Amino acid sequence: MKFYSSLCLLCVIFATSCKKEKPQDEQMNPTPPTAQKIEKHLEIHGDVRIDDYYWMNDRENPEVIDYLERENDYYEKMTAHTKDFQNDLFEEMKARIKEDDSSVPYLYNGYYYITRYETGKDYPIFTRKKGSLDAEEEIMFDGNEMAKGHSYFHLAGINVSPDNKLAAFAIDTVSRRNYTIQIKNLETGEIYPQKIELTTGGSTWANDNETLFYTRKDPQTLRSDKIYRHTFGSNPEKDVLVFHEEDETFRSFVYKTKSDRFIVIGSASTLTTEYRTVNANTPTAEFEIFSPRDRGVEYNIAHFEDHFYILTNKDDASNFKLMKTAVSATGSDNWEEVIPHRSDVLLEDFEIFKDYLVVSERNNGLNKIHIQRWDGSDAYYLPFDNETYTAYTTQNLEFNTNILRYGYNGLTQPAAVIDFNMETKEETIMKEQEVLGGEFNKDNYESERIWATAADGTKIPVSIVYRKGIQKDGSNPLLQYGYGSYGSTIDPYFSTTRLSLLDRGFIFAIAHIRGGEYLGRQWYEDGKLLKKKNTFTDFIDVSKHLIEEGYTSSEHLYAMGGSAGGLLVGAVMNMAPELYNGVVAAVPFVDVVTTMLDDSIPLTTGEYDEWGNPNEEESYLYMKSYSPYDNVEAKAYPNTLVTTGLHDSQVQYWEPAKWVAKLREMKTDSNILLFKTNMDAGHGGASGRFEALKEVAMDYAFLLDLEGISE
């Protein structure tokens, strides 16, 4: 590394001794950064990998920071001609947002809670009103005041005590999802000095208004592994450890049931869950296991009167079923079936009310909300009439009510919050997202769902939106988005920022590839572990279908993905680079093998059930065969923009940094390769609502510039 520093010094000396024309040439045709190569041999199972950029795994190393800053400087020079356009895009997207916006109020424990924004300000203001919306507003937290002096700020975990006098809250100013909890007196405004460090941010009050449960993280791996009990006003160093999750593949969390009767500690891995409960009125009592963990069995619990209700995949119910058991006998041997397993319907969630049970389902990829009375006198589905929408229950905190609140939006339909009277079946639109600027008309856009055929014959659903009037002649620029991991489903959703692409002729497509749960649990099982490559080949086959059907062509097709979706597009770049003119990879998980072999970094051990354990030879060889970093070759790659955050706790910055360095070394094309590191942020990018828009504008300007669109 000293040799590398000497080279840098020589470059500086050389540059200063040259004629002025040299810096001008450099500014017009900047030279891509090169990274120092230090050979590192990594051996396991008799297989040796040589990693020339392993040294980047040290954010305290000034050589690492220097490389990241040189990449940032190169990005700035290469995109200088788009800066005005980026700003125009930012202002355009910002102009669509109602800056003085506020959430739909919801009633909880005698107060209406409202989150609002003020014009020109980045952060939310959390307020409440006692008993009536006409009551005087109480400002609980003003994120704009609290964020002053911080380049990154996130307020989370606001949790009001049962007597409405205290609020626990948590702050992260680094963007590593490492939160500090404090308590505020909502009557006096005083923030108490006690600080609880290294937490997930979430917390739960017992019913005595003095006892607070929270989750701490391991300082090295950031795994949430310990549940503590804190007594208001006491020194956090004296907090009582009530549970320690020692299995490194599990994470832990704590919450209170909607009935307010139980405090619940949960432990979860990718495949298995386990819960413990204690009466919220006796928080110092011992927690009791609800039902012992059984590998492969997942369950979630909710309390109602004398029973717990359980959503579970027990007894090979892969799409889950609903069961119940008496509060006095919670072991799985006592569970009784309420809603049976169905091979064509995925049970995703449920809500309990005094008179109603509401179940969120997914059938053939589409969200369904089923409502039934406990007494069996009525049962029905909410009616939805298209194939490119998202519907979900939200903010149903009150137990004794006939009103179900749900959210609805679609690729052409702005988001709405709707209150539905489950007794009269009348609905009231409480709020529909306003799209300002005077140019949006949802009738100008069209959405559809099509099906592509994968190489193995599987039908892959694709949700598409575009401005009406396009011709399927292959000339349209198209941005294809995908994720495809953890069973996480990317539903068709409305986006005001996306309009900046649609209005300039882009088509936007979401590929519902295997690895998500769009078509049920099996859809997930067929895109993980030793079937992970289905995720990548599905995405590629969707691209081929879009080209064959004339939506676009390889000269105008772009791929985008973030995190595990960054792994997706990274693998696709190696497997079928010729299909794409450009790729945007955000915080990409691209160094799969090295990361999964390092159990000292966040998330690794908990990921074995998703990707496999590379300490086992079969899993090692399989993930090595698709890991983007390990499969970079001497060939042509698409134009590429890669982004990351220095403090990312989910995907460490060095993964994309190493990947870009290796791509620069190996690629044989003259296409653009840009790498931008946010030196102040983590996995989620910038924290303010407007700062985040600047990052979207950056991505869009990259894509539009490749299409020759500059305004």
Side-chain angles (χ1 to χ4, degrees), residues 237-423:
E237 293 181 2
K238 297 181 180 179
D239 288 354
V240 178
L241 176 66
V242 296
F243 176 70
H244 180 197
E245 178 51 73
E246 296 182 350
D247 188 327
E248 294 182 347
T249 66
F250 280 73
R251 67 189 185 280
S252 57
F253 49 93
V254 62
Y255 66 96
K256 187 191 288 187
T257 58
K258 185 175 175 178
S259 66
D260 291 328
R261 183 170 162 184
F262 292 96
I263 303 291
V264 181
I265 291 175
S267 289
S269 70
T270 303
L271 297 175
T272 311
T273 49
E274 179 184 68
Y275 292 91
R276 288 166 167 77
T277 65
V278 72
N279 192 304
N281 293 319
T282 56
T284 59
E286 291 291 323
F287 280 80
E288 297 181 357
I289 291 181
F290 186 89
S291 186
R293 66 188 66 179
D294 182 4
R295 180 168 173 77
V297 175
E298 301 172 60
Y299 67 94
N300 291 318
I301 61 175
H303 172 248
F304 175 55
E305 294 183 343
D306 296 328
H307 288 85
F308 281 103
Y309 284 77
I310 308 132
L311 186 66
T312 181
N313 65 349
K314 183 178 178 288
D315 302 323
D316 298 319
S318 59
N319 275 338
F320 290 79
K321 59 183 176 180
L322 188 65
M323 306 185 79
K324 71 175 183 178
T325 191
V327 168
S328 59
T330 59
S332 61
D333 291 344
N334 303 300
W335 297 359
E336 305 170 16
E337 195 170 88
V338 177
I339 298 177
H341 174 260
R342 288 165 287 175
S343 61
D344 61 339
V345 177
L346 175 67
L347 263 61
E348 294 189 313
D349 201 2
F350 66 103
E351 298 264 10
I352 287 177
F353 298 87
K354 180 176 179 293
D355 295 320
Y356 295 90
L357 171 66
V358 178
V359 179
S360 298
E361 304 176 352
R362 187 181 295 274
N363 176 240
N364 197 33
L366 305 181
N367 300 129
K368 307 282 188 178
I369 297 177
H370 185 260
I371 300 168
Q372 66 183 63
R373 291 187 65 97
W374 287 111
D375 62 13
S377 62
D378 198 11
Y380 54 92
Y381 284 94
L382 290 181
F384 304 123
D385 59 2
N386 67 69
E387 292 187 334
T388 56
Y389 70 90
T390 298
Y392 52 92
T393 62
T394 179
Q395 291 179 328
N396 292 290
L397 301 180
E398 287 291 303
F399 177 69
N400 188 12
T401 178
N402 291 328
I403 302 299
L404 170 72
R405 177 163 292 178
Y406 72 95
Y408 180 87
N409 71 92
L411 287 174
T412 63
Q413 172 63 49
V417 176
I418 300 167
D419 277 1
F420 179 79
N421 188 311
M422 294 180 282
E423 183 174 2

Side-chain angles (χ1 to χ4, degrees), residues 1 34 79 90 204 208 236 250 340 408 418 422 450 452 499 608 615 632 681:
M1 294 183 186
T34 57
T79 60
F90 166 73
T204 299
D208 61 2
F250 280 73
Y408 180 87
I418 300 167
M422 294 180 282
I450 64 174
L499 296 174
Y608 289 159
N615 293 294
V632 172

Side-chain angles (χ1 to χ4, degrees), residues 362 483-491 512-518 523-524 610:
R362 187 181 295 274
Y483 187 74
S485 292
Y486 303 106
S488 179
T489 298
I490 307 300
D491 282 310
H512 302 293
I513 49 186
R514 282 174 282 189
E517 284 187 343
Y518 187 82
W523 203 244
Y524 171 41
E610 179 71 25

